[in-house]
Amino acid sequence: MNRFLHHVLYLILHVASSSQYGTETIETLMPNVKVVKVDLKIFTETQVPLLCGDSYQDTEVIWMKDSELAGQGNQIKVKVEEMMGANYSCHNAAGEYLNHTLVLVQDIPSPNRTRRVLEKSHDADEDEYIRCLAKNYNGTFHCFWKKTKYRTSAVVALVQVGQFSGRNFSCSIHSDGAGLTCEDLDSCSFAEEVSRIDLTVYFRSNYLLEDYTVTPFYIREIVKTDKIHITKVEGNTFQWEYPDTWSLPRSYYPLTFQVKVVHARENCDSEKQVLLKETKDTKLTVVHSSKKYRFCLRAKDELVDCPWCQWTDFEVKHKYKKH
């Protein structure tokens, strides 16, 4: 009885998936790449049409899936079950390569769909998987992500940026595969941004495809200076400079600095501060009775509501004088 019910359930799901997910679920991601969008929570089976090429209508064409025969003819259909995509290549009768089509599978968007490639940012307020930052206003920004331990071999298949803003970008993937850098080719740092930047990154893991879209942003919303370099310490007086990567002139892009003094055993994130103040100066003298303390410094754009940069700290260890 249980086997009978299992068989009936399989048939119901099979019929439902076959009728619900036909050719309308197949999209072309880019040349030679087709994507089958299915609900990976149930069994799915999709017939995918393949075309070797319009110029091969009168050619004897053989299709191969890896080293196995997949079909014959310029146009064929192949069956894709669940996540079982593949790379199909077509050849002439002599075995010479003519063309290929990579078939990938993607889970249809839903509120509860499982993400398999990237981990969610631990300190994110929303479902953030990719975080983007800009060091200045020159139109270049950097994005970072972390792959799950089960998909460390996943690679970026496609980056779509500026499609809706009409802006022209050039992007490159970092050598470690954990981020990308994009440059606005039409950027003018003094011009006001009139449209947000849209960004979608597609990742491929074997034949699984996942896309991650970043909430559209302005550069001014993600700008975050490099860490501040303390250039001189004399007694309790500290001096520092603007980061070399920050936009010029300084009068047009002023920074505000936050200074925090904590006990030597505390880190800069401690809320047990002895001193906390903001200043536009690049020099400050600490008035503190203790001979040991930690001086913390960070900066942000004075005119824009953007994140603070990372803390720079200096541990002060004055020697006590013997009387």
Side-chain angles (χ1 to χ4, degrees):
M1 184 64 179
N2 289 337
R3 292 180 60 186
F4 174 76
L5 289 175
H6 176 77
H7 182 65
V8 171
L9 179 61
Y10 169 82
L11 288 176
I12 292 174
L13 292 176
H14 177 72
V15 171
S17 62
S18 297
S19 60
Q20 186 178 358
Y21 302 109
T23 55
E24 71 274 9
T25 65
I26 302 168
E27 298 179 359
T28 299
L29 181 65
M30 51 187 165
N32 298 95
V33 180
K34 286 192 173 185
V35 180
V36 182
K37 293 190 175 184
V38 297
D39 187 349
L40 294 177
K41 294 189 293 295
I42 62 174
F43 176 83
T44 57
E45 183 179 286
T46 308
Q47 294 292 326
V48 181
L50 302 179
L51 173 67
C52 188
D54 292 333
S55 58
Y56 303 126
Q57 294 290 354
D58 300 323
T59 302
E60 184 179 347
V61 175
I62 300 173
W63 286 87
M64 303 296 292
K65 175 186 174 183
D66 298 325
S67 58
E68 299 180 357
L69 179 66
Q72 294 181 326
N74 187 40
Q75 299 183 62
I76 66 169
K77 286 187 177 182
V78 295
K79 182 173 65 176
V80 175
E81 295 181 353
E82 298 184 305
M83 287 195 294
M84 302 303 291
N87 188 33
Y88 297 89
S89 58
C90 55
H91 309 258
N92 61 20
E96 297 173 328
Y97 168 84
L98 300 176
N99 204 348
H100 76 278
T101 299
L102 175 63
V103 179
L104 302 177
V105 178
Q106 184 177 16
D107 199 1
I108 59 174
S110 66
N112 299 319
R113 68 171 166 171
T114 301
R115 291 295 202 167
R116 298 170 173 84
V117 176
L118 298 187
E119 289 185 5
K120 185 186 298 186
S121 300
H122 296 297
D123 56 345
D125 296 331
E126 302 176 358
D127 287 347
E128 182 185 62
Y129 292 86
I130 299 178
R131 178 164 296 179
C132 299
L133 298 170
K135 295 182 178 182
N136 49 47
Y137 291 99
N138 67 2
T140 298
F141 62 89
H142 314 273
C143 300
F144 308 92
W145 54 77
K146 184 179 180 181
K147 301 172 189 174
T148 62
K149 62 181 180 180
Y150 305 107
R151 301 285 178 172
T152 55
S153 61
V155 297
V156 174
L158 178 67
V159 176
Q160 293 179 335
V161 58
Q163 284 195 315
F164 304 109
S165 65
R167 298 162 70 173
N168 186 22
F169 288 89
S170 173
C171 300
S172 60
I173 307 301
H174 298 169
S175 59
D176 61 0
L180 60 79
T181 296
C182 292
E183 178 185 0
D184 188 344
L185 301 180
D186 304 319
S187 173
C188 174
S189 59
F190 297 100
E192 183 74 16
E193 289 181 285
V194 296
S195 59
R196 295 180 183 271
I197 300 170
D198 53 278
L199 172 68
T200 300
V201 185
Y202 292 81
F203 291 86
R204 175 192 168 187
S205 178
N206 295 324
Y207 296 108
L208 172 70
L209 183 75
E210 284 191 349
D211 66 289
Y212 295 83
T213 298
V214 178
T215 302
F217 57 87
Y218 294 111
I219 289 291
R220 62 177 178 268
E221 293 174 331
I222 64 167
V223 70
K224 184 177 180 179
T225 71
D226 276 336
K227 291 179 66 174
I228 305 301
H229 178 57
I230 298 174
T231 58
K232 190 175 182 180
V233 179
E234 286 187 349
N236 291 316
T237 300
F238 299 82
Q239 288 184 239
W240 56 89
E241 295 178 351
Y242 276 53
D244 292 336
T245 54
W246 187 242
S247 299
L248 294 174
R250 295 179 183 177
S251 57
Y252 195 82
Y253 299 102
L255 292 178
T256 185
F257 303 94
Q258 187 177 65
V259 174
K260 180 191 282 188
V261 175
V262 297
H263 296 295
R265 64 180 179 275
E266 303 286 343
N267 60 42
C268 291
D269 291 322
S270 172
E271 296 182 358
K272 300 177 182 179
Q273 65 263 13
V274 178
L275 171 69
L276 181 65
K277 68 173 298 183
E278 293 185 14
T279 179
K280 299 176 185 178
D281 298 327
T282 56
K283 181 178 180 180
L284 185 135
T285 298
V286 175
V287 179
H288 188 35
S289 58
S290 176
K291 297 292 183 180
K292 295 182 179 181
Y293 60 88
R294 187 176 305 279
F295 178 87
C296 304
L297 177 69
R298 62 182 181 179
K300 66 183 289 292
D301 190 319
E302 179 187 335
L303 307 177
V304 174
D305 183 16
C306 60
W308 291 96
C309 72
Q310 290 181 302
W311 288 109
T312 297
D313 71 304
F314 185 90
E315 188 174 353
V316 176
K317 295 181 179 179
H318 293 310
K319 294 182 180 180
Y320 287 91
K321 294 182 180 179
K322 295 182 179 180
H323 297 284

